[in-house]
Amino acid sequence: MHAVFITLALLTVTGISSLISRVGRIPVPLPLIQIGVGAIAALAGLNIGFDPDMFLLLFIPPLLYADAYRMPMREFGELRNIIIMMALGLVVFTTLVCGYFIHWLIPPILLPAAFALAAVMSPTDAVSVGSMIEGGRAPARVVHILHGEALLNDASGLVCFKFAVAAAMTGLFSFQQALGSFIFMSTGGVVIGIACAWAACRAEHMLLVRGYDDPPTHITLAMMLPFGIYLTADALQCSGILAAVAGGMTVKFTGVMNEARTETRLKATTVWDMVNFTFNAVIFLLLGLQLPDLVNGGAAIARAGGVSPWFLILAIGGIQLMMSLIRFAWIWISISARRLFAHFRHRKTVVPSIRTVLLMTVAGTRGAITLAAVLSLPVASLSGPGFPGRDLLVTLAAGVIICSLLLASLAIPPLLHGMSTDEEDPTLHELDMMRIELAQTAIETLHAEQAALAQQELEDLPGHEESLDLKQEAIGRLLHEYQDTVHRLDNSRAAEASIRATAIREKRAELALRFRIIRHMRERLHMRVVQKHINDETEWTINQELDFIEQELQIEARSLPRPDSLHHADHGTAIQPTGERMAGAMPH
């Protein structure tokens, strides 16, 4: 009963935190609001124990699996060298430099323990990175690098942490053993993830070929896959985190989801979006729930050591500052090295601005993995000694997590303000070009149909006049629709800007009207149910049909081009971005 109450309480607080963010329009990132709500809930009496192993098993595999599935494979391949330098080289560099700094700043912390703390704080958090960056105007290249880094650096950070802990507890350390263990854990995790995901995709393909495409069963088994991959890798002493990441990429690469029915794909997307939202929120709520105890513990540690609590706060700020400087320096060194190699090879390379480097620096937030790992440090008990200075390390790590989130929330918005994305993100241009090509394919098909109908009219077949007229009318309607799509999306020099702007305005008006029609249709449908003219089963069926229509319209609304450089033909003002210009068209 206690576990059920905790689950219900967490879900309720999750909904409340999101509601506060939406209704209150607080200019603070949602993760910080969720941490604050969790802290308030803890002060109000909601106490939840934190089991690091259970936390890692329950939350990390599905979230990393989903993030890996959504990672663009082409961009990941193009940026693989940068991502590996950030995910591996930066972690080791941070562990060494920041470890020495922590030992110098707080001498009671032994050097191996300082290395353990630096290692556990070195991985960036994929959840908070996405929450801070997505939806802004960050260049796509930066977003891909940060996501790729966050997906891969957990394994390297945890390996460094593991050996630093062993050195602190036993006084022994072997570089060869550490390197061999890292290679085994990372390579084994990737291989296990690929193998398990490939086997699952083959089984799914065989079921789909035989017609066994039941959406609830398909989605349930797909939801269990990242847990199975993680547990398999963990049982074989490999990295379950990298296994989950490799599994998500493998499932995407096989394209098995494209073989499923449309209904299955739509429902699976909805379920995964819900899981992603809920698990992300619960992670930060759990951090907030631990915060009061961590603050009290930190204050007690300071008093016991005869040190002012303000020194602890200054130490946390100093560690965060040092980690930011290390990250900035590593990014700058990496850029300089790439420029040097490109110069010797006579190749062009993208050189980011100082502003972009600063954005990548402050976006390196810490989160779930750091908290779970530092709380897994051994506690003193009858069975054995605890980790030296455990409570102090936990307090410092929690403080750095909060400090990194605060820094990102304060620095990212001004850094993103006015930053252009179009020149570095080919995705928007590719989307428009592909849609134009598909529309032109449809137009060519319709012209061919018109030619075939004209030939039939020449042959003057009796009894087919009415059928030919109906087909010509249908072709005319479809031609107008696809030609309108081309007019809206074609931003080439050959296209007339006034025609495109007019087509966009017409489409906005049409979509707004369609959304209004659907809203009135729903109202009429509900009224007929209340009047008992139809039953609720009929209402459910028609509502489902309207949902599919509305989803298609919303996709069409989002696909309207983002004409940041396209100006209004009459007034010379830029057309609003997609999200703003469709605000009046969306249903309320």
Side-chain angles (χ1 to χ4, degrees):
M1 187 65 183
H2 181 63
V4 174
F5 170 76
I6 289 176
T7 303
L8 293 176
L10 279 175
L11 293 176
T12 302
V13 176
T14 296
I16 292 174
S17 64
S18 180
L19 189 63
I20 291 173
S21 175
R22 297 283 184 180
V23 176
R25 298 184 181 275
I26 303 173
V28 176
L30 184 57
L32 284 177
I33 294 176
Q34 290 162 345
I35 290 174
V37 171
I40 294 172
L43 294 174
L46 181 60
N47 296 316
I48 298 177
F50 191 95
D51 184 343
D53 293 332
M54 187 63 68
F55 176 86
L56 288 174
L57 171 62
L58 183 59
F59 294 105
I60 300 305
L63 290 178
L64 293 183
Y65 175 91
D67 284 343
Y69 184 87
R70 293 169 180 170
M71 180 76 186
M73 298 302 294
R74 183 188 64 185
E75 281 73 11
F76 184 83
E78 292 174 352
L79 301 171
R80 62 186 182 277
N81 293 332
I82 303 175
I83 291 173
I84 290 174
M85 287 183 67
M86 297 286 289
L88 179 58
L90 180 56
V91 167
V92 176
F93 187 60
T94 301
T95 300
L96 294 175
V97 177
C98 194
Y100 280 111
F101 174 77
I102 293 171
H103 177 63
W104 170 83
L105 183 66
I106 311 176
I109 298 180
L110 301 177
L111 190 57
F115 285 146
L117 179 60
V120 81
M121 293 188 301
S122 58
T124 54
D125 184 58
V127 176
S128 56
V129 166
S131 302
M132 297 287 181
I133 293 293
E134 287 178 355
R137 293 187 57 81
R141 184 182 180 87
V142 172
V143 174
H144 297 151
I145 291 173
L146 291 174
H147 276 168
E149 176 197 5
L151 287 174
L152 300 181
N153 63 9
D154 293 329
S156 54
L158 290 179
V159 169
C160 293
F161 173 71
K162 172 185 174 183
F163 281 94
V165 170
M169 296 290 289
T170 64
L172 301 175
F173 175 76
S174 170
F175 176 77
Q176 291 83 359
Q177 184 182 3
L179 180 61
S181 177
F182 173 76
I183 294 174
F184 172 76
M185 290 179 64
S186 57
T187 305
V190 171
V191 171
I192 291 170
I194 293 174
C196 291
W198 183 84
C201 290
R202 291 300 303 169
E204 182 69 20
H205 172 75
M206 292 173 61
L207 291 173
L208 293 174
V209 168
R210 288 165 174 76
Y212 301 116
D213 189 3
D214 177 54
T217 303
H218 176 97
I219 296 170
T220 302
L221 293 176
M223 287 290 299
M224 293 299 104
L225 181 58
F227 296 104
I229 292 174
Y230 182 91
L231 288 171
T232 302
D234 191 61
L236 297 174
Q237 301 296 314
C238 295
S239 173
I241 293 173
L242 281 181
V245 172
M249 290 184 173
T250 302
V251 171
K252 181 177 184 177
F253 183 77
T254 60
V256 69
M257 281 300 296
N258 296 329
E259 303 175 16
R261 288 189 300 170
T262 303
E263 180 185 3
T264 302
R265 292 197 299 271
L266 290 174
K267 289 183 177 179
T269 301
T270 302
V271 171
W272 275 106
D273 286 344
M274 191 65 194
V275 168
N276 193 59
F277 166 78
T278 305
F279 279 22
N280 282 343
V282 170
I283 284 175
F284 290 106
L285 285 173
L286 286 172
L287 175 56
L289 287 167
Q290 311 304 313
L291 199 57
D293 290 338
L294 294 174
V295 171
N296 292 332
I301 290 169
R303 286 192 296 269
V307 178
S308 170
W310 290 108
F311 174 76
L312 209 57
I313 296 175
L314 291 176
I316 290 171
I319 294 172
Q320 174 60 46
L321 177 61
M322 176 55 67
M323 297 192 74
S324 297
L325 291 175
I326 292 171
R327 185 174 176 86
F328 180 87
W330 183 264
I331 295 173
W332 193 255
I333 291 171
S334 301
I335 293 171
S336 301
R338 291 181 65 248
R339 290 179 62 183
L340 186 62
F341 285 130
H343 175 73
F344 284 132
R345 296 179 180 180
H346 304 288
R347 294 179 181 177
K348 292 183 178 180
T349 183
V350 177
V351 180
S353 62
I354 291 291
R355 189 177 185 180
T356 303
V357 175
L358 286 173
L359 176 63
M360 294 179 65
T361 300
V362 299
T365 55
R366 275 73 194 174
I369 296 293
T370 296
L371 181 65
V374 77
L375 287 174
S376 69
L377 289 172
V379 181
S381 63
L382 296 176
S383 59
F387 190 84
R390 178 187 185 276
D391 293 340
L392 178 58
L393 298 187
V394 170
T395 302
L396 291 174
V400 170
I401 292 172
I402 302 298
C403 194
S404 68
L405 291 172
L406 285 172
L407 176 63
S409 65
L410 293 174
I412 286 179
L415 287 173
L416 289 179
H417 182 69
M419 184 175 284
S420 177
T421 61
D422 292 343
E423 60 184 30
E424 292 192 49
D425 184 9
T427 305
L428 297 176
H429 177 71
E430 290 173 1
L431 279 171
D432 285 349
M433 291 301 100
M434 195 66 244
R435 289 184 179 120
I436 291 173
E437 185 176 343
L438 294 177
Q440 289 173 339
T441 301
I443 291 172
E444 293 170 3
T445 303
L446 292 171
H447 282 317
E449 287 292 325
Q450 278 185 329
L453 290 177
Q455 183 63 32
Q456 290 184 23
E457 289 178 353
L458 290 176
E459 294 175 359
D460 196 21
L461 298 175
H464 290 78
E465 293 82 0
E466 183 178 356
S467 175
L468 293 176
D469 291 339
L470 291 174
K471 287 184 179 180
Q472 287 285 12
E473 185 178 349
I475 289 173
R477 287 198 301 269
L478 291 174
L479 272 175
H480 180 269
E481 177 183 340
Y482 287 112
Q483 286 169 348
D484 177 68
T485 299
V486 173
H487 289 155
R488 281 189 290 108
L489 298 177
D490 189 3
N491 60 356
S492 62
R493 294 181 180 179
E496 295 185 26
S498 59
I499 295 177
R500 185 171 182 238
T502 301
I504 292 174
R505 290 198 300 272
E506 288 177 352
K507 195 61 183 180
R508 287 188 212 150
E510 177 193 336
L511 289 174
L513 184 59
R514 286 180 180 272
F515 282 124
R516 197 173 301 120
I517 289 171
I518 290 177
R519 185 171 68 248
H520 288 302
M521 291 170 71
R522 293 188 191 278
E523 293 172 356
R524 178 63 61 88
L525 180 64
H526 182 67
M527 184 177 68
R528 291 294 182 250
V529 174
V530 172
Q531 296 171 346
K532 297 185 177 179
H533 291 177
I534 60 174
N535 65 2
D536 52 357
E537 186 176 356
T538 302
E539 180 195 24
W540 185 87
T541 302
I542 296 179
N543 257 328
Q544 192 176 34
E545 295 173 0
L546 292 177
D547 286 341
F548 279 102
I549 295 172
E550 191 169 16
Q551 185 176 36
E552 183 180 354
L553 293 176
Q554 288 173 344
I555 293 173
E556 193 170 3
R558 288 194 296 269
S559 72
L560 282 176
R562 300 181 53 178
D564 298 329
S565 59
L566 182 65
H567 293 272
H568 195 285
D570 300 325
H571 304 289
T573 57
I575 296 175
Q576 296 173 341
T578 305
E580 297 175 5
R581 71 174 180 241
M582 290 310 303
M586 293 297 182
H588 300 288

